[in-house]
Amino acid sequence: MIDLLLCTRRAMLASMRGRLYSRRIDLDDAKLGDYLIASMGSLADEHLRILFLDGSRHLIADECLQSGSLAHLALYPRVIFRRALELNAAAILLVHNHPSGNPHPSDEDIEATRRLADIGHALDIRLSGHIVVTANQTSRIIVDDTARRGTFSFTLKSPDTAADRRAKAELVLTNARITQRRRFLRRQLIGAECLFVEPAWDMLLDLFIHQCEGRVLHLYPMCVASGIPMSSALRLAQKLCEAGILRRQPDTFDGRRSIMTIEPEIMHRLSAYFAEGAE
């Protein structure tokens, strides 16, 4: 079951990436932001990802070319543009994460973007922009290519506002609730409930909704949502904790009970999943 959950998580990211190939890549695309947050927003080290684009701004390849320490990520133009030439890319989009959680580009980020834009201009490969990713938001360095003058101006696009984040959180929660209701309805309409039980996913779904609503869910009520015998559900909950998917901690108000939470990285990935829609 744990292997199934991990495979489901990988399949989710592959599905999100696959959708990018069928659409024009734009810095303000919410789907692109969701994918980047889900795939690299919670990484412990900095990584540089390059999206290689054709002349119509459609995705040719999505590759992680470099990784670095928390303090510094080296940018090697030769590696980046050699790969762009190999793929016959007309443009590239830089993406890197800030493990610190600060979404604002640093002075070094801006200077590196400026340097790469100049090199790209000389090679006739346009730098479309630079996205900085954290665990829950993104910010963009927008490149205005005034090629006739051979100069570049840069506009920093602020991270999502509080209103944007609230709207997205409400969409995520709404889709999760719809998914839960449809699963219950499916069992009721079709019958033979034992044939339609997916215990680990049902427990995760119930716990995810509780956390989004700011409510506490204890171990035993969470196990009830699985639809399987309590002893089996408890063993499954323990396996989910051992796999780093759930976290169990004692209730400070009642030592006999345990409070269950979803690990932050999994929470981010589930949020990205439900931002895509309901089942």
Side-chain angles (χ1 to χ4, degrees):
M1 181 60 70
I2 302 303
D3 290 341
L4 176 61
L5 286 171
L6 295 175
C7 289
T8 299
R9 187 169 65 185
R10 288 193 291 267
M12 177 195 75
L13 290 175
S15 175
M16 296 175 73
R17 184 190 301 113
R19 292 190 181 101
L20 294 179
Y21 281 92
S22 62
R23 60 196 301 143
R24 178 183 169 88
I25 299 297
D26 188 274
L27 282 175
D28 294 319
D29 189 343
K31 300 293 186 184
L32 174 61
D34 290 340
Y35 165 66
L36 295 174
I37 290 172
S39 60
M40 64 188 301
S42 57
L43 295 178
D45 294 323
E46 291 193 31
H47 289 73
L48 174 66
R49 174 182 240 129
I50 308 293
L51 304 186
F52 298 94
L53 311 176
D54 64 16
S56 300
R57 295 183 63 84
H58 286 86
L59 186 62
I60 299 174
D62 167 17
E63 299 181 1
C64 182
L65 293 188
Q66 298 178 45
S67 61
S69 67
L70 293 175
H72 178 69
L73 179 67
L75 298 176
Y76 296 101
R78 180 180 300 176
V79 174
I80 295 170
F81 287 105
R82 180 176 60 194
R83 185 58 179 149
L85 291 169
E86 288 173 352
L87 294 170
N88 196 29
I92 60 173
L93 176 60
L94 305 179
V95 185
H96 89 279
N97 60 307
H98 276 184
S100 66
N102 180 1
H104 296 282
S106 65
D107 292 341
E108 291 78 9
D109 294 337
I110 296 172
E111 180 55 34
T113 305
R114 187 186 308 278
R115 182 160 55 93
L116 291 173
D118 285 331
I119 296 172
H121 174 65
L123 295 173
D124 198 25
I125 299 174
R126 184 175 186 272
L127 177 58
S128 296
H130 189 164
I131 300 178
V132 178
V133 184
T134 68
N136 53 27
Q137 57 188 313
T138 63
S139 63
R140 275 83 73 185
I141 304 174
I142 301 173
V143 180
D144 179 19
D145 181 359
T146 54
R148 285 172 296 183
R149 295 198 300 267
T151 61
F152 299 87
S153 62
F154 295 80
T155 302
L156 301 185
K157 185 175 179 66
S158 300
D160 297 336
T161 64
D164 293 334
R165 292 194 293 273
R166 285 195 298 270
K168 182 177 179 180
E170 184 58 36
L171 173 64
V172 166
L173 181 55
T174 297
N175 285 335
R177 286 170 173 162
I178 292 172
T179 296
Q180 188 178 55
R181 286 197 297 269
R182 289 180 65 84
R183 294 172 74 84
F184 288 149
L185 182 61
R186 180 184 66 187
R187 295 178 185 177
Q188 292 171 356
L189 292 179
I190 299 177
E193 292 190 10
C194 63
L195 301 179
F196 292 92
V197 171
E198 300 174 58
W201 180 235
D202 285 335
M203 286 195 291
L204 273 178
L205 183 58
D206 193 31
L207 183 53
F208 179 81
I209 291 174
H210 274 74
Q211 284 190 221
C212 288
E213 294 173 339
R215 296 188 292 140
V216 170
L217 184 62
H218 291 91
L219 174 61
Y220 281 89
M222 184 192 74
C223 289
V224 170
S226 69
I228 60 177
M230 182 59 68
S231 59
S232 299
L234 288 171
R235 286 194 296 271
L236 180 56
Q238 180 60 32
K239 290 181 180 179
L240 290 170
C241 290
E242 293 171 354
I245 295 172
L246 300 185
R247 180 182 301 172
R248 178 178 178 177
Q249 55 192 28
D251 187 337
T252 56
F253 297 101
D254 185 348
R256 297 169 298 177
R257 302 195 298 177
S258 297
I259 295 175
M260 304 301 297
T261 57
I262 300 173
E263 292 288 357
E265 180 181 351
I266 305 301
M267 196 69 183
H268 294 316
R269 293 178 184 272
L270 287 173
S271 295
Y273 175 77
F274 287 115
E276 287 286 294
E279 292 181 357

